[in-house]
Amino acid sequence: MMNKDEQYMQRALELAEWGRGCVSPNPLVGCVIVHQDKIIGEGHHQRYGESHAEVNAIASVENQELLTEATVYVTLEPCAHHGKTPPCANLLVEKKVRRVVIAATDSNPLVGGKGIEILRNAGIEVQTGVLEKAARWQNRRFFTQIEKKRPYIILKWAQTQDGFVARNDFSSKWISNSQSRQLVHKWRAEEDAILVGKNTAFYDNPTLNVRDWVGKNPLRLVIDRQLILPKELKLFDQAVPTICFNQKLNEIKANLEYKKLPFQSIVPEILADLQDRKIQSLIVEGGPFVLNQFLDAELWDEARVFISQNKFVEGIKAPSLNDSPDEQFTIESDQLAIYYYV
């Protein structure tokens, strides 16, 4: 049974989720303002560069005088620095709120306890750690980027019941069913970037957009070391910002960038480049050679594997995960297995 603080924080976490796919590289944040056990204001961070959750929640309070007797529930420590918006900790001090309850402290060095310090120095009661585990999990992409200096990495593939991702001629359409494929488009809308290797780009000619969902397209990434992929492929249509990692050329034209890398250790090189670009999350969609590069380097956070009822008997083997799935779901005729790297 949740206590009152946990109940209001749970609502703040629900609000924060509404920013999914829109606020990166900022974190998801929700805020609830309570006066005498009644919610008088709510808000969430809606879009990167726009008002933070606390600002939106305060703006929604009709009687601003009640703020001096109110408790503010926020899923992440209020910011203490000037970025694209003013510090939220200072706004809470200005409004003279009575109490602030925080789920997770911010490990960003620009904040890192400074927001809490500002509030306490102003005489505001501060409580931390309420539903902290849930808040850190919700913002695992943000915390991974801040703490591990790389994007949050999601490996994704579809395989047959007998463990193949493609036939020997590299053909694979369609292993998973239409509902599973639509779910993948939803995932794409929630993440910053998506990566495929040369063979997947050539044989599947994927678009890697969210045409079966509503949302933003991820940054498209393709590995083509020797620049041998045909320029007629959909990945090079410049309809969506795209980066081609290669060993020969640095060039930017419109929505297509060729980025030269040493290719001495390709996975860390790509991740370092994405970190410089403030890319918070990455879906790796294959093929098996690229997926195994991430698995072998132990550079991944989730693996999402669709298992269909189809059988190929022979073909190109799917990557192997020895552990049992942490979660399993049925998607019509498919099974979805989710693994978390610990």
Side-chain angles (χ1 to χ4, degrees):
M1 181 72 69
M2 286 186 174
N3 62 37
K4 288 290 185 181
D5 282 346
E6 290 170 338
Q7 289 174 16
Y8 290 127
M9 189 62 76
Q10 181 61 43
R11 174 57 182 165
L13 288 167
E14 292 170 1
L15 293 168
E17 197 61 35
W18 294 356
R20 178 75 63 192
C22 300
V23 302
S24 177
N26 282 352
L28 299 163
V29 184
C31 182
V32 171
I33 303 175
V34 176
H35 178 262
Q36 294 182 357
D37 207 21
K38 178 184 177 182
I39 294 177
I40 60 171
E42 292 187 335
H44 69 284
H45 186 28
Q46 299 177 11
R47 192 169 299 277
Y48 176 68
E50 297 182 4
S51 299
H52 288 186
E54 299 93 323
V55 175
N56 291 329
I58 288 172
S60 74
V61 177
E62 291 185 7
N63 185 354
Q64 295 279 305
E65 293 180 1
L66 297 179
L67 289 171
T68 60
E69 301 172 359
T71 297
V72 175
Y73 295 85
V74 61
T75 58
L76 189 69
E77 178 181 356
C79 61
H81 65 287
H82 284 270
K84 289 186 174 291
T85 60
C88 292
N90 291 1
L91 175 64
L92 295 173
V93 170
E94 177 189 327
K95 295 297 182 180
K96 299 179 181 178
V97 302
R98 183 180 66 84
R99 179 172 177 251
V100 177
V101 180
I102 298 166
T105 54
D106 194 336
S107 51
N108 185 335
L110 293 172
V111 182
K114 296 174 185 175
I116 294 172
E117 183 180 7
I118 288 171
L119 296 173
R120 285 180 171 156
N121 286 344
I124 296 172
E125 179 187 344
V126 179
Q127 182 176 349
T128 62
V130 176
L131 299 189
E132 179 179 12
K133 185 177 180 180
R136 282 189 61 88
W137 178 252
Q138 182 180 64
N139 266 319
R140 57 195 184 276
R141 295 157 181 80
F142 172 76
F143 285 113
T144 295
Q145 185 178 50
I146 293 294
E147 296 167 6
K148 296 185 178 180
K149 310 299 182 187
R150 63 163 175 81
Y152 187 85
I153 301 164
I154 300 167
L155 309 181
K156 172 265 164 184
W157 69 87
Q159 66 182 57
T160 60
Q161 196 174 64
D162 51 356
F164 298 101
V165 295
R167 296 179 176 86
N168 287 324
D169 63 357
F170 291 94
S171 63
S172 62
K173 296 183 179 180
W174 293 100
I175 291 177
S176 56
N177 64 47
S178 60
Q179 190 170 343
S180 295
R181 295 196 298 273
Q182 185 178 44
L183 179 58
V184 170
H185 285 232
K186 176 181 182 294
W187 292 343
R188 290 175 181 176
E190 295 172 347
E191 311 304 340
D192 287 353
I194 185 168
L195 171 71
V196 295
K198 173 176 61 67
N199 285 340
T200 297
F202 181 77
Y203 289 104
D204 290 356
N205 192 17
T207 307
L208 300 186
N209 61 16
V210 295
R211 60 195 178 277
D212 289 340
W213 198 256
V214 176
K216 66 172 182 62
N217 293 306
L219 173 68
R220 302 185 300 194
L221 311 171
V222 60
I223 302 172
D224 182 14
R225 183 171 179 166
Q226 299 299 325
L227 294 178
I228 61 175
L229 286 173
K231 298 302 179 283
E232 295 75 29
L233 293 178
K234 294 173 184 175
L235 280 176
F236 301 124
D237 62 10
Q238 300 194 46
V240 177
T242 303
I243 300 172
C244 177
F245 293 114
N246 70 92
Q247 205 173 5
K248 292 188 171 185
L249 178 66
N250 276 321
E251 183 178 87
I252 300 176
K253 49 183 181 182
N255 259 353
L256 178 60
E257 176 180 352
Y258 291 90
K259 175 65 178 181
K260 184 178 178 180
L261 295 176
F263 275 75
Q264 294 173 349
S265 184
I266 186 59
V267 171
E269 290 168 15
I270 289 175
L271 296 181
D273 181 82
L274 296 182
Q275 178 72 0
D276 289 342
R277 298 173 193 265
K278 296 184 178 180
I279 298 299
Q280 198 178 82
S281 59
L282 170 68
I283 299 178
V284 182
E285 283 211 5
F289 177 79
V290 174
L291 289 162
N292 280 319
Q293 293 276 312
F294 282 83
L295 288 167
D296 291 344
E298 296 186 339
L299 285 169
W300 61 283
D301 299 287
E302 292 184 34
R304 301 175 181 177
V305 184
F306 291 101
I307 304 166
S308 77
Q309 295 182 349
N310 299 327
K311 291 184 177 181
F312 283 176
V313 181
E314 60 180 16
I316 299 171
K317 291 291 290 183
S320 177
L321 291 168
N322 296 326
D323 297 331
S324 299
D326 295 285
E327 296 180 282
Q328 287 184 289
F329 305 92
T330 299
I331 314 292
E332 288 188 338
S333 58
D334 293 342
Q335 293 297 310
L336 171 60
I338 299 181
Y339 302 79
Y340 298 109
Y341 183 81
V342 179

